[in-house]
Amino acid sequence: MSERSRVLIIYTGGTIGMMADPRSGALLPMDMAHLELHVPELERIDVDLDAVSFERPIDSSDMRPADWITMARIIGERYDRHDGFVVLHGSDTMAYTASALSYLLEGLGKPVVLTGSQLPIGTIRTDGKENLLTAIEIAAANEGGRPIVSEVAVYFEYALFRGNRTVKVHAERFEAFRSPNWPLLAEAGVHLRYDRQAMLPRRNGPLHVHERLNENVGVIPLFPGIRADWVCHALSTPGMRAVVLTTFGSGNGPTDTAFLKALHEARERGIVLVNVTQCVGGRVEQGRYVTSQAFAEMGVVSGHDLTVEAAITKLMFLFGQELSAEEVARHVQVPLCGEMSVS
Ligand code: ASP
């Protein structure tokens, strides 16, 4: 007889566990008991469940890098006791958390499935119940005692995505997420169909939990008419180590001299600049157009097909490892855990 899987639910907050404040009508995070009350199915599920909750569950807009480290630590502490982990989280910043966890949990060999919902679990048309129950099923799934998924993933509306490839694409639809540059890891219908080709290979090594992130990073979204003096100002923020430039198309930007000078001066001060496209899908190819040649020449690093979420958290992670700017510039271009494909 096969043993039942043991899954740990980590409740951080988000719409899934919220209720309308009777006075203002605004949605407020409730505690774990509220969630359990509305999902009696948890009692009947064929998985041994444990749960831990943030002391104060939060809207994910309040999520900070320290919270990602708390989650990674919880997983590290319970790693040997559980077969899989479900992180209940608001959808707004779920892609950032999933990306950060993928770097912090080096050598992960078990499923860590983030999920949440667009409608609170207590409402009649909630998407939260299906998301939660299927996420638990995925976190518990194994073949001959070995987990099927061994990476950080996001489960939302019948689809399982690689966590560090996801972006939130819709504020209202139940299909809130996509991973434009990577196939689905699984689809849930009558059966759960896994795409093994799309998943990271199983790892048997020990888990190493990293506990340091450096928050001295930023993002500058380019737009026609962007002011060079404003860019210069942003790049001169004291302590800044790296900035993600979200560029047009395949990595292009203005060739305006003052704008390029602002970037060049930042490079001279040792700031790492990473080029990520603002398109939803596709990749950066610096030098394909004249409008990205200057970037390549001054040492702006190509982010290939990284999402902004995966790029910013990768920089926080790499600078957290006390690497020099040159080392970060090199490492950011190398895939760590399936977050980018280098052509
Ligand atoms: N504002 C909510 C959050 O991110 C939205 C959600 O959960 O879907 O916490």
Side-chain angles (χ1 to χ4, degrees):
M1 208 177 77
S2 68
E3 271 182 43
R4 273 158 59 113
S5 295
R6 188 166 207 103
V7 168
L8 179 70
I9 299 176
I10 303 168
Y11 175 52
T12 71
T15 298
I16 192 161
M18 289 189 186
M19 222 173 95
D21 176 41
R23 267 178 305 165
S24 67
L27 288 170
L28 274 174
M30 306 301 286
D31 62 10
M32 184 74 199
H34 168 82
L35 228 131
E36 285 164 341
L37 182 75
H38 286 95
V39 197
E41 291 85 349
L42 290 174
E43 292 282 325
R44 290 197 283 123
I45 206 162
D46 191 26
V47 175
D48 289 329
L49 290 175
D50 294 315
V52 289
S53 172
F54 271 20
E55 205 175 317
R56 266 192 342 107
I58 52 175
D59 186 298
S60 77
S61 303
D62 276 327
M63 203 54 78
R64 292 156 314 141
D67 298 312
W68 302 333
I69 292 170
T70 301
M71 287 177 230
R73 217 177 262 152
I74 292 173
I75 292 168
E77 283 162 5
R78 317 284 184 108
Y79 195 64
D80 294 334
R81 272 179 280 159
H82 292 91
D83 301 295
F85 302 84
V86 170
V87 179
L88 294 179
H89 193 290
S91 65
D92 287 349
T93 66
M94 190 181 283
Y96 291 90
T97 299
S99 299
L101 287 178
S102 75
Y103 305 129
L104 292 173
L105 300 170
E106 186 184 338
L108 181 71
K110 296 183 180 184
V112 172
V113 186
L114 284 87
T115 195
S117 67
Q118 292 279 58
L119 281 176
I121 203 108
T123 56
I124 295 194
R125 287 178 53 249
T126 185
D127 51 330
K129 229 181 224 195
E130 195 285 321
N131 285 348
L132 171 59
L133 295 172
T134 308
I136 293 172
E137 192 173 335
I138 293 167
N142 67 78
E143 275 168 335
R146 307 188 70 197
I148 295 181
V149 177
S150 54
E151 57 182 286
V152 177
V154 165
Y155 180 76
F156 230 86
E157 195 63 9
Y158 306 109
L160 185 72
F161 307 91
R162 170 162 302 155
N164 54 30
R165 293 282 192 160
T166 52
V167 280
K168 185 172 179 185
V169 291
H170 214 286
E172 292 174 25
R173 285 212 181 132
F174 289 155
E175 297 96 342
F177 288 91
R178 277 180 59 199
S179 60
N181 287 330
W182 197 255
L184 296 183
L185 304 186
E187 256 182 289
V190 171
H191 302 287
L192 259 170
R193 298 215 184 277
Y194 293 95
D195 178 352
R196 278 147 222 273
Q197 300 284 323
M199 288 192 258
L200 286 179
R202 266 191 198 130
R203 280 160 293 185
N204 298 318
L207 173 74
H208 178 67
V209 180
H210 294 272
E211 299 198 357
R212 280 209 310 248
L213 293 165
N214 187 326
E215 296 175 31
N216 293 313
V217 298
V219 181
I220 298 183
L222 303 192
F223 55 90
I226 188 167
R227 278 177 55 171
D229 56 347
W230 180 78
V231 171
C232 186
H233 229 79
L235 291 170
S236 306
T237 307
M240 208 50 135
R241 306 297 306 274
V243 170
V244 176
L245 301 172
T246 68
T247 56
F248 311 128
S250 56
N252 309 312
T255 54
D256 164 65
T257 317
F259 169 72
L260 291 177
K261 185 163 170 268
L263 299 189
H264 192 74
E265 285 171 358
R267 288 289 307 124
E268 303 249 283
R269 292 196 301 275
I271 295 184
V272 176
L273 299 177
V274 181
N275 185 345
V276 171
T277 178
Q278 26 184 278
C279 292
V280 179
R283 61 172 49 252
V284 162
E285 283 179 75
Q286 289 193 143
R288 179 161 170 214
Y289 291 89
V290 172
T291 45
S292 64
Q293 251 168 10
F295 292 163
E297 281 160 17
M298 71 173 82
V300 173
V301 168
S302 169
H304 300 279
D305 59 353
L306 281 176
T307 62
V308 176
E309 293 88 334
I312 197 88
T313 49
K314 191 172 183 177
L315 288 167
M316 287 183 183
F317 172 73
L318 292 174
F319 273 113
Q321 307 312 298
E322 306 291 336
L323 301 176
S324 68
E326 292 73 31
E327 287 168 319
V328 169
R330 228 173 328 113
H331 282 72
V332 80
Q333 299 180 75
V334 179
L336 290 177
C337 44
E339 76 282 8
M340 62 158 44
S341 331
V342 178
S343 59

